[in-house]
Each structure stands twice: as structure tokens, then as C-alpha cells.
Amino acid sequence: MSHRLTSLLLAGAVLAPSEAFAALHQGLTSALAHTTFDYIIVGGGAAGAVVANRLSEDHDISVLLIEAGSRKGSDFNDTAIEIPGRSAALQKTRFDWNFTTTPQVGYDNRSIAYPRGHVLGGSTAINVMAYCRGSRDDYDRWARVTGDYGWSWDSLFPYILNLDRVTPSADGHSTAGQFNPDVHGHTGLLNISLANYFIEPGALSINASHELSSQFPFNLDFNSGNTVGLSYTQQTIYKGARFTSAHGYLAPFFERPNLDVVVNTLVTKVVQTGTHRDVPAFRAVQVYNSSTNTTTKLTARHEVILSAGAVKSPHLLMLSGIGDTSELSAVGIEPLVSLPDVGKNLQDHVFLPLIHTVVPGVFTLNQLRENATFAAAALAQWTNTRTGPLTLPGGDTWGWFRLPASSSAFEIAPDPSAGETSAHYEAIIEDTFISKVLTPPSTGNFLTLLLNLISPASRGTISLASADPLAAPLIDPRFLTAPVDIAMIREAIRAVRVFLAAPAWQGWITGEYGALANATTDAELDAFARSNADSVDHVSGTVAMGPRECTRVGCGALNPDLSVKGTVGLRVVDASAFPFIISGHTQGSTYILAERASDIIKNARH
Ligand SMILES: Cc1cc2nc3c(=O)[nH]c(=O)nc-3n(C[C@H](O)[C@H](O)[C@H](O)COP(=O)(O)OP(=O)(O)OC[C@H]3O[C@@H](n4cnc5c(N)ncnc54)[C@H](O)[C@@H]3O)c2cc1C
Ligand SMILES: *[C@@H]1O[C@H](CO)[C@@H](O)[C@H](O)[C@H]1NC(C)=O
Ligand SMILES: *[C@@H]1O[C@H](CO)[C@@H](O)[C@H](O)[C@H]1NC(C)=O
Ligand SMILES: *[C@@H]1O[C@H](CO)[C@@H](O)[C@H](O)[C@H]1NC(C)=O
Ligand SMILES: *[C@@H]1O[C@H](CO)[C@@H](O)[C@H](O)[C@H]1NC(C)=O
Ligand SMILES: *[C@@H]1O[C@H](CO)[C@@H](O)[C@H](O)[C@H]1NC(C)=O
Ligand SMILES: *[C@@H]1O[C@H](CO)[C@@H](O)[C@H](O)[C@H]1NC(C)=O
Ligand SMILES: *[C@@H]1O[C@H](CO)[C@@H](O)[C@H](O)[C@H]1NC(C)=O
Ligand SMILES: *[C@@H]1O[C@H](CO)[C@@H](O)[C@H](O)[C@H]1NC(C)=O
Ligand SMILES: *[C@@H]1O[C@H](CO)[C@@H](O)[C@H](O)[C@H]1NC(C)=O
């Protein structure tokens, strides 16, 4: 804390009262480098922002949060980030780490882009803002596999309930009947909202769910613990603009004297600081300064917490000598802790757009791409009033559906979903052309039913390409490699064909677009999926928690309290820790995990 005092004294009279971000530093100052913090958190994304906030609630605890991204600390406030309808444009910019996967065997050996947020707010600043908590069965499975009942839905419920705050819609419409207020708290730091713009196929999908309610029921709130059914979407959007972890958990708290946030600063490894009862302690990090090509070591009094996300947290552990010893030795890194599960168990969701043509006369958001006048008007509307089509990041409705227990998919392997409250596939209804493979035609009306395989069985890896901390790791999600996954996606395509044949859609949808139209046999459907699929960008599970005593391969790299097995003073708190990916978009469960983790860390001090 003393450096803050010093800099305040030095700044003296020139410190304007409007200086909003006393604790936000654009680089590692020598004052910071000479301060010993109680906790050092690496990464200011979904999880890191929560942990920094919760630990610094206690005035006696000093916290340093180190974030690699952000040219300036207020980057999360950038208009490009805040316009919900423009999220795809953030990829391959300075807000993205620009990762690429290895060739994906299940995707005809295509390599795909693997975006990750490189900015304060992390991936919450570049994601598509879908807000999902996951299902009761998802968390109950976490509790079962870790042996820690604290990870069950019921036990987590106070965190789940109090995480989000449903804020009024930006366009003033009534949200009655679009969600269940009883399953949301009203005091959370994470502001969310229902959609602020409505598309016709959203309403049609609701009607279709009423028409086919036995197979595709309506669900008032997918965030109640039971995700299954067709519902209105919920988003991390506040007053028509994106709301990141930095907006909710950091910016309002920059005045805390015991919280320092440094952006533009890359951590290259964690550093062993000694041993405690023969167990190596890792209470320091090494940070890299690219302009001087030098490193600085920062030591924490209590703990280092890695919240660098499910690509970089395992990468940092391996760079530090914590991982599979033969893999480390192979690239010339001295193994310090044998922990073969680091970088294994990667889980992600398969993204498969099913594009349809719709009747020529209707209005669709293809206009945003096809009609410059409309696009300019939409941008002006968003800029002036934070309303209109650009407030919508995707669809305003989505379905979370299960395949029947009798599905042929489950003759191949047991159902990989967590249970009855978890879907097998998600179907997002969007009235525009979506594909990461096909180029949209310059004119035409399209609807995309975006299929996401939400309870997958495939498992991938993060591994070292080299010992160079500035080189990206090898990312191999192994999408659609488990036979049950390709079978589930095949049966999901067949199921949504039934949904889209409901009377509600008659006279609106005219047909399937492209190769989908010709795909009916198993082989044709599989070929269509493998050649058109991508990622929903939900990488998880790469430093998974597991049972405390177990050190066998497959038992997880973390204890249930998120401490790294075989170490002291080191935890991983982010989406890496999920033993199973949840059956929803993953930011919500990352926030939930980080809220409980913060209490675990606070309680460990006593
Ligand atoms: C394009 C995209 C779309 C998505 N869409 C959705 C969606 O609609 N809904 C949803 O729920 N989820 C979505 N997700 C996933 C969701 O955003 C993530 O699951 C969530 O942000 C994970 O949180 P995290 O804390 O684990 O990691 P992140 O939020 O990625 O944060 C990690 C942080 O650590 C920093 N960092 C990494 N390495 C270092 C280092 N060496 N030194 C210093 N700092 C470092 C990073 O820059 C980053 O800020 C999407 C993700 C992406 C990329
Ligand atoms: C790198 O070092 C230079 C020289 O000491 C310093 O001015 C700069 O702020 C440092 N950059 C970061 C990002 O810490
Ligand atoms: C961020 O945006 C808010 C709202 O527009 C504004 O009040 C605040 O000053 C901005 N902060 C920065 C650092 O630009
Ligand atoms: C990602 O790529 C873009 C485009 O090449 C580049 O401008 C940006 O700096 C890159 N991001 C990072 C973090 O290097
Ligand atoms: C993908 O690559 C593997 C390994 O190189 C090869 O065996 C396989 O035939 C390739 N598959 C396709 C569809 O090209
Ligand atoms: C949905 O069904 C209701 C009741 O039949 C009908 O009034 C409404 O027009 C339908 N919505 C759309 C978008 O067709
Ligand atoms: C979140 O929403 C609440 C209620 O609308 C508001 O008071 C608060 O300022 C918002 N938080 C931020 C950080 O904007
Ligand atoms: C940075 O320093 C390392 C180690 O001292 C050296 O190997 C490397 O060549 C340097 N890189 C640059 C760009 O100077
Ligand atoms: C383009 O958008 C403008 C503004 O919404 C609209 O008036 C015009 O009819 C549109 N043009 C076409 C070809 O749809
Ligand atoms: C679908 O099959 C028909 C008949 O074989 C063929 O003419 C057409 O080009 C195919 N369409 C696509 C998009 O593959």
C-alpha cells in the first residue's frame, strides 16, 4: 500500500479530483515492482476481475491484478467493444490473442481461429454476451467428481442467485413473461438484460414451441436450474451496451486503496519461492517488458492466483515446470512438479450453423450486411439512444433440447450430458446469414438456426509448442472426435428439421441453404457437419479440479479448493478449473466459480 501513498504524495496538487482510476496502471511501475502484495492475480477476465474485487473487499488485504491486454486501462470502454451487434469485428484486433487451433481431425483437418480476449475484461469484452448459469445437473456433477458438495447447485445457489441483476430493457418494453424474476437476485454486480430488440423468427420460434410442446417445450427461464426448453435470451448487456467483468467488478472499485490493476503487462511464468513441508511453493510471478526485453519477479505474501483463461493458465503452468514431465523435458523446460493433467481434458462446444432461405418480402437483419443505408441508420440509433438492431448480439430466443434416451446416438456410447436438466444441443434462432466457412451472398433473406453441441464427449489438449513464453501453445480441441458427438449432432439436425416444420414457420422459411439441403443420410449429415462446424469459443477444463487425495492421471490438476496439486501458494481460478464443461455458454459459470473461489481463498486465511 505504501507505493500508493508515495505516488499520491508525489502527484500532490496536480492530482485532479476527476482522476477516476487511481489504482489503474498502464505498465509496471517501479513502485509496484517494489511492493509486496498479499495476492497476485494473473488475468483480468471473467474470473480474475471477480477475485480481485472480492479479495479487496477486505481493507486488510492488498491485491495486484496483472492483465496482459489493454493499451490503455479504459479499453473495455471502447465503443467497438460496447456495441453488442459488432462483437464479431473484435476478432483479429488488438483485443484478441489471435490463437489458431491445430488441424482438427473431426473438421476435415481444418485449423480454425480460436479467439480469446486480450483486454481488461478478458473474453467477456469480446464474447457474444449470452448469459447462462448452467443447469442443476451440471453443478451436481462437479460436486460428485470432486467430492466437494460445495460445488453442487444447491450449495452454489446463493452465489448463483446474487451474481446477476436483471436491469430494465433499453427500449422500455415490458419483460413480463420473458423470464422468471423469482430466480434472479436483485443486487448482483453483473448487470444483465433481456433482448432489447425483437426479430420475427424469435416470435415464430415461441409459437412453434407451443405447437410442438411435447418435444420442444417453452421454458420461462433457462437460468432456473432447468435449462431445457425454448426461451428468451438473457445477455450481459446494460442500457443497450456490453457489460464486461471490468464494468461490473473493477471500474466502480478502482478507488480502493488496497487494489492495484496493471494492464499491458504479460506474465511469463510462476516462480518457485521455496518449499513448505517439502512441497514446492510458487508465490511469485515473472513479468515481461517487451520494450526492454527484461523480466521482473513479483512475489505475493499469500498466494498467486492464475485467472489467465483455459488456454493461457495451463500454458503458464507448463512454462513454469508444472505439467507432464516428459512433455516439459521435450521442449527443454525443467520439470518442477509432475502434474500430467495440466493441459488435458479440454472441452468446448461445437458451433454448426444451419442456414435457411426465407420469403423475399420479409424484413431480416441481413439488411445490416446488405444495405449500407440501413446499417448507418442502425449505428446512429445505437449511438444516440443505445437502442435498435445493434443492441442484439445474436438471437432473442434459443432452444435447449434433449435427444430422446432411445436416440441411436446413445447406442454408441452413454449419454454424455450431466442429466435431465442439461440439454444435448442448443438452437439459437437468428435472422441473418451466419457461417465461419461460407461467404454470405450479397443479397437475400436468411435465417440461421445455430446449433451448438452443448454436452460433448470429445476431449482435447493444450500443449507446449516451445519453451518460448511469447509463442502460442498448441491448441487441439479435438472437436467431433468422440463418435457419440458426431452422432448427437446428426440427430440434432434431424430434430430441428422437425421443429422448423411446425405450422408457425409455414410461409416464412422457404428451404435449407447450401449443402444442408442435400444432406439426409448419416454420411451426408456427418460430412456437412465436419465441413461447416467451428467453435462456440467456450474452451474449458484444461486445469480441472478433481478429488483431493487422488494424484492419478485423470484425477484433475486442482484440488476442489482450486489449489494446484503438489504445490502451495498457487491456485487456478477460471474456466480451466471446470471438470466438465457446463451445458451453457461459459461466462456465467466462470463468474459463479470465481465467486465461490473468492470465499474459499478468504476463508483459507483464517
Ligand atoms: C469470441 C467469444 C465469444 C464468446 N461468447 C460467449 C457468450 O456469448 N456467452 C458466454 O457465456 N461465454 C462466451 N464466451 C466464453 C466466455 O467469454 C469465457 O468462458 C469466459 O470469459 C472465461 O473467463 P476466464 O476468466 O476463464 O478467461 P478470460 O475471460 O479469457 O480472461 C483471461 C484473461 O487473462 C489475461 N491473460 C492471459 N494470459 C496472461 C498473461 N500471461 N499475463 C497477463 N494476463 C494474461 C487475458 O488477456 C484475459 O484478459 C465467448 C468467448 C469468446 C472468445
Ligand atoms: C517497460 O520498461 C520501461 C523502461 O523501464 C518502462 O518505461 C515501461 O513502462 C515498461 N513497460 C511496461 C508495460 O511495464
Ligand atoms: C467509460 O464510459 C462511461 C460511460 O459512458 C463514462 O462515464 C466513463 O468516463 C468512461 N471511462 C473512460 C475511462 O473512458
Ligand atoms: C491480433 O491480430 C491483429 C491483426 O493482425 C493485430 O492488430 C493485433 O495486434 C493482434 N493481437 C495481439 C494481442 O497481438
Ligand atoms: C487428416 O489428417 C490425418 C493425419 O495427417 C490423415 O490421416 C487424415 O486422412 C486426414 N483427413 C482428411 C479428411 O484429410
Ligand atoms: C404467434 O401466434 C399468435 C397466436 O396465434 C399470433 O397472434 C401471432 O401473430 C404469432 N406470431 C407471429 C410472429 O406470427
Ligand atoms: C448496474 O445496474 C444498476 C441498476 O440499474 C445501476 O445502479 C448500476 O450503476 C449499474 N452498474 C454499473 C457498473 O453501471
Ligand atoms: C531478449 O532476451 C533474451 C534472453 O536474454 C534473448 O535470448 C533474446 O534474443 C532477446 N530478444 C530480443 C528481441 O532482443
Ligand atoms: C435500405 O434501408 C433503408 C433504410 O432502412 C430502406 O429505406 C431501404 O428500403 C432499404 N433498401 C433495400 C434495398 O432494402
Ligand atoms: C444438391 O444436389 C443436387 C442434385 O444432385 C445438385 O444439383 C445440387 O448442386 C446440390 N446442391 C448443393 C448445394 O450441393
Side-chain angles (χ1 to χ4, degrees):
M1 231 183 291
S2 61
H3 73 281
R4 295 291 306 285
L5 191 57
T6 315
S7 58
L8 283 173
L9 290 173
L10 289 174
V14 299
L15 189 73
S18 62
E19 170 59 86
F21 305 134
L24 183 57
H25 311 270
Q26 311 303 316
L28 191 68
T29 61
S30 70
L32 287 174
H34 289 102
T35 304
T36 302
F37 292 87
D38 291 325
Y39 294 91
I40 295 176
I41 301 162
V42 179
V50 171
V51 178
N53 180 302
R54 295 306 184 193
L55 293 183
S56 64
E57 280 177 336
D58 183 337
H59 305 300
D60 297 332
I61 295 178
S62 65
V63 175
L64 176 65
L65 174 63
I66 305 176
E67 167 56 46
S70 291
R71 201 153 59 199
K72 54 186 202 306
S74 56
D75 262 351
F76 61 87
N77 236 10
D78 195 291
T79 306
I81 284 177
E82 289 198 325
I83 302 179
R86 291 275 177 88
S87 68
L90 297 166
Q91 293 175 28
K92 299 281 158 65
T93 70
R94 65 193 170 86
F95 303 129
D96 183 3
W97 283 82
N98 299 331
F99 294 126
T100 303
T101 69
T102 59
Q104 292 301 291
V105 180
Y107 284 3
D108 297 337
N109 288 340
R110 288 179 294 126
S111 289
I112 62 168
Y114 217 53
R116 291 285 98 197
H118 182 262
V119 57
L120 207 56
S123 297
T124 73
I126 69 162
N127 70 14
V128 192
M129 291 152 271
Y131 177 67
C132 303
R133 296 161 162 180
S135 79
R136 167 181 289 277
D137 285 306
D138 291 333
Y139 295 101
D140 289 352
R141 178 159 66 176
W142 285 12
R144 232 171 20 247
V145 300
T146 60
D148 178 355
Y149 179 75
W151 292 115
S152 68
W153 171 272
D154 282 340
S155 182
L156 287 171
F157 196 65
Y159 301 108
I160 293 172
L161 186 68
N162 296 315
L163 181 70
D164 57 80
R165 176 198 283 252
V166 185
T167 60
S169 52
D171 62 356
H173 82 268
S174 165
T175 54
Q178 296 184 345
F179 79 113
N180 180 0
D182 296 344
V183 300
H184 295 267
H186 302 282
T187 55
L189 294 181
L190 187 69
N191 286 356
I192 66 165
S193 62
L194 278 292
N196 296 290
Y197 182 83
F198 294 91
I199 58 177
E200 194 174 358
L204 295 172
S205 72
I206 300 283
N207 282 3
S209 77
H210 293 312
E211 290 166 354
L212 302 179
S213 58
S214 59
Q215 195 178 352
F216 305 101
F218 179 72
N219 180 356
L220 178 59
D221 201 319
F222 64 94
N223 271 333
S224 64
N226 180 17
T227 62
V228 176
L230 190 286
S231 22
Y232 290 94
T233 57
Q234 298 175 19
Q235 279 110 4
T236 47
I237 293 179
Y238 175 52
K239 292 186 171 169
R242 178 197 294 271
F243 194 85
T244 71
S245 66
H247 288 85
Y249 283 86
L250 296 176
F253 304 92
F254 281 143
E255 286 303 321
R256 283 185 186 160
N258 56 329
L259 171 65
D260 285 277
V261 179
V262 55
V263 298
N264 230 336
T265 302
L266 181 76
V267 171
T268 45
K269 62 173 181 170
V270 296
V271 182
Q272 186 174 350
T273 46
T275 53
H276 178 76
R277 297 189 186 128
D278 292 336
V279 181
F282 289 85
R283 293 199 166 95
V285 299
Q286 186 185 68
V287 301
Y288 177 69
N289 184 323
S290 58
S291 52
T292 55
N293 193 31
T294 55
T295 58
T296 309
K297 189 175 95 172
L298 300 177
T299 304
R301 203 170 284 118
H302 296 304
E303 293 187 15
V304 168
I305 296 146
L306 290 183
S307 299
V311 173
K312 286 296 292 183
S313 285
H315 188 209
L316 285 169
L317 289 174
M318 292 185 273
L319 289 169
S320 313
I322 303 170
D324 182 292
T325 52
S326 58
E327 288 179 22
L328 299 180
S329 302
V331 298
I333 291 177
E334 185 199 348
L336 299 177
V337 177
S338 169
L339 202 52
D341 281 353
V342 172
K344 308 300 194 301
N345 193 49
L346 187 161
Q347 296 169 54
D348 196 353
H349 291 139
V350 171
F351 164 109
L352 183 64
L354 307 181
I355 304 168
H356 293 73
T357 52
V358 308
V359 288
V362 299
F363 171 81
T364 63
L365 286 181
N366 292 283
Q367 290 276 309
L368 279 173
R369 191 181 60 251
E370 297 171 3
N371 180 344
T373 313
F374 180 80
L379 181 58
Q381 181 181 0
W382 187 85
T383 305
N384 295 330
T385 63
R386 297 286 190 271
T387 60
L390 288 179
T391 61
L392 194 65
D396 61 339
T397 63
W398 49 23
W400 305 88
F401 300 126
R402 286 180 65 77
L403 296 168
S406 59
S407 171
S408 58
F410 307 132
E411 290 165 11
I412 296 170
D415 176 359
S417 77
E420 293 294 322
T421 60
S422 295
H424 294 117
Y425 64 95
E426 177 195 9
I428 309 180
I429 312 295
E430 307 201 33
D431 71 340
T432 190
F433 189 104
I434 296 176
S435 176
K436 297 190 196 174
V437 175
L438 306 171
T439 307
S442 54
T443 60
N445 277 325
F446 304 94
L447 165 141
T448 303
L449 187 148
L450 179 53
L451 208 55
N452 294 335
L453 191 68
I454 215 73
S455 297
S458 300
R459 298 290 182 264
T461 58
I462 302 286
S463 57
L464 288 169
S466 82
D468 177 2
L470 304 184
L474 296 172
I475 301 170
D476 185 6
R478 296 183 55 76
F479 289 113
L480 294 182
T481 53
V484 68
D485 284 1
I486 188 76
M488 285 194 294
I489 207 120
R490 181 198 304 150
E491 296 311 319
I493 297 172
R494 289 181 168 136
V496 298
R497 280 178 168 161
V498 173
F499 181 64
L500 294 178
W505 300 102
Q506 300 304 307
W508 210 84
I509 295 178
T510 53
E512 291 177 334
Y513 175 85
L516 177 63
N518 280 353
T520 46
T521 65
D522 286 3
E524 288 162 353
L525 289 168
D526 295 359
F528 169 80
R530 295 195 190 284
S531 58
N532 285 279
D534 203 278
S535 169
V536 198
D537 303 316
H538 290 168
V539 58
S540 309
T542 50
V543 193
M545 55 177 159
R548 178 169 285 279
E549 265 79 39
C550 182
T551 52
R552 280 198 321 272
V553 171
C555 262
L558 304 179
N559 292 306
D561 65 0
L562 308 180
S563 57
V564 177
K565 288 181 177 176
T567 73
V568 291
L570 182 61
R571 282 183 225 254
V572 176
V573 180
D574 62 28
S576 316
F578 300 0
F580 285 87
I581 195 168
I582 62 140
S583 61
H585 299 244
T586 45
Q587 65 172 341
S589 47
T590 309
Y591 281 114
I592 292 164
L593 175 126
E595 287 281 11
R596 178 175 186 232
S598 302
D599 275 348
I600 291 173
I601 296 166
K602 283 177 167 178
N603 292 336
R605 292 180 75 236
H606 305 303

